[in-house]
Amino acid sequence: MTTPLLALLAFAGWTLLIVLGIVTYRTLQVLMGKKPAHGFQSGVEHGPDLYWRANRAHVNALENLVPFAVVVLAGHAVGHTEPLFSQLAVAVVVLRVLQTTIHVAMHTHWSVVARAAFYIGQIGCFIAMGVSLLA
């Protein structure tokens, strides 16, 4: 399996790990009788701050998994093997993990700045990977 495909699987796995935390919280809330099963409205802030930040980080990861998958799978389909393409795919995963970790762990001015920088880095990697495919 190629490095970009492994990076894509890592990104997807990270996204699943985030949702596992969310599902665990919700399940415990329901089982302990603190919330009804239908008490978690989509898009409406609910639960403690840490949980809500994880919820938002999960949505953001899902939104970015699709363009990453498209670029990686397009590269795989055409047999693109440029080393930079692989390095950029790995960088995307590292930046995603850093962004999510900061997103969930804290909410300060500088954490938001860092999160934005890691996100912009991911977008830059997506663009560079796309350009690499077209070259």
Side-chain angles (χ1 to χ4, degrees):
M1 186 172 295
T2 66
T3 300
L5 285 176
L6 288 172
L8 178 56
L9 289 174
F11 193 121
W14 181 251
T15 305
L16 289 172
L17 186 63
I18 300 165
V19 82
L20 181 61
I22 294 165
V23 168
T24 299
Y25 171 80
R26 288 181 179 186
T27 300
L28 290 172
Q29 291 293 298
V30 171
L31 292 176
M32 293 186 307
K34 294 183 177 183
K35 281 245 194 207
H38 66 284
F40 304 95
Q41 286 187 313
S42 177
V44 177
E45 190 169 344
H46 55 273
D49 193 46
L50 179 70
Y51 159 80
W52 187 246
R53 286 195 314 268
N55 195 311
R56 295 298 310 139
H58 174 252
V59 169
N60 185 259
L62 282 174
E63 292 167 348
N64 288 279
L65 179 57
V66 173
F68 184 50
V70 167
V71 173
V72 168
L73 294 174
H76 182 71
V78 298
H80 193 67
T81 59
E82 185 178 327
L84 179 61
F85 189 81
S86 295
Q87 293 164 352
L88 289 167
V90 171
V92 167
V93 176
V94 171
L95 291 166
R96 170 55 50 182
V97 169
L98 290 169
Q99 179 192 359
T100 302
T101 301
I102 290 175
H103 192 159
V104 174
M106 62 190 81
H107 185 70
T108 65
H109 169 78
W110 290 111
S111 69
V112 172
V113 170
R115 235 173 57 207
F118 293 139
Y119 180 68
I120 290 166
Q122 289 168 75
I123 299 303
C125 288
F126 293 165
I127 292 168
M129 290 172 78
V131 168
S132 173
L133 279 175
L134 297 174

